[in-house]
Amino acid sequence: GIVLADEFDALTDGELAALIDPRDLVGSVRAVVARFDPSGEGEPQGATLVGRRIRYFFDEPSVRRASYEVLAEAAERVAQVLIDDGALDPPVAHIASSALVFGYFAALEEWYRGSREQSIAQTFQQGLDALQRP
């Protein structure tokens, strides 16, 4: 729990709802990722600490397994915002929120395993761009 807890987990339901525009899920996730991206500009020390912390996500099997539960809980929280807003029915809300949350985790892993020449947010954006290609 100590390794996996982050600022996103500390958001109240109201704060989370304020971050999510159910009519622009991709844009909302981009904004959330950018807001919580510790690899972004101006935080070289933070990026080093994040790199160490993230190492546990991907290199320690027990932490990786636990991270899936945390991700599932995050996806459920996002889905509930979408359901409460009336934007999506429950099955679609769960699929969309899971795709975005677990997609972010995939981007995080690619950033960690790669050269880290770009931010986590940029890595995530490349994945989203690939989904939107004709």
Side-chain angles (χ1 to χ4, degrees), residues 1 9 13-14 19 24 30 46 48 83 90 93-94 103 117 119:
D9 301 326
D13 291 342
L19 288 173
D24 183 11
R30 285 181 183 133
T48 301
I83 293 165
H94 285 102
E117 292 175 4
S119 70

Side-chain angles (χ1 to χ4, degrees), residues 1 4 18 108 123 131:
L4 296 174
L108 184 63
T123 304
L131 293 174

Side-chain angles (χ1 to χ4, degrees), residues 64-111:
R64 186 177 182 113
R65 283 189 300 275
S67 69
Y68 291 136
E69 184 60 33
V70 171
L71 291 168
E73 290 171 9
E76 179 59 35
R77 289 185 70 201
V78 172
Q80 196 59 55
V81 168
L82 301 174
I83 293 165
D84 291 347
D85 182 80
L88 299 173
D89 63 22
V92 174
H94 285 102
I95 293 167
S97 64
S98 292
L100 292 170
V101 168
F102 283 90
Y104 172 72
F105 191 68
L108 184 63
E109 183 170 19
E110 288 305 312
W111 174 84

Side-chain angles (χ1 to χ4, degrees), residues 110-131:
E110 288 305 312
W111 174 84
Y112 170 70
R113 302 244 185 254
S115 65
R116 301 185 199 172
E117 292 175 4
Q118 59 188 10
S119 70
I120 297 166
Q122 290 168 320
T123 304
F124 183 63
Q125 182 61 50
Q126 287 177 329
L128 291 176
D129 290 347
L131 293 174

Side-chain angles (χ1 to χ4, degrees), residues 28-87:
S28 295
V29 172
R30 285 181 183 133
V32 170
V33 169
R35 175 179 170 180
F36 293 103
D37 185 350
S39 70
E41 294 179 30
E43 296 196 42
Q45 182 183 12
T48 301
L49 294 173
V50 167
R52 280 192 243 149
R53 182 173 166 251
I54 291 172
R55 176 176 54 90
Y56 290 106
F57 289 7
F58 302 111
D59 294 343
E60 295 294 333
S62 63
V63 175
R64 186 177 182 113
R65 283 189 300 275
S67 69
Y68 291 136
E69 184 60 33
V70 171
L71 291 168
E73 290 171 9
E76 179 59 35
R77 289 185 70 201
V78 172
Q80 196 59 55
V81 168
L82 301 174
I83 293 165
D84 291 347
D85 182 80

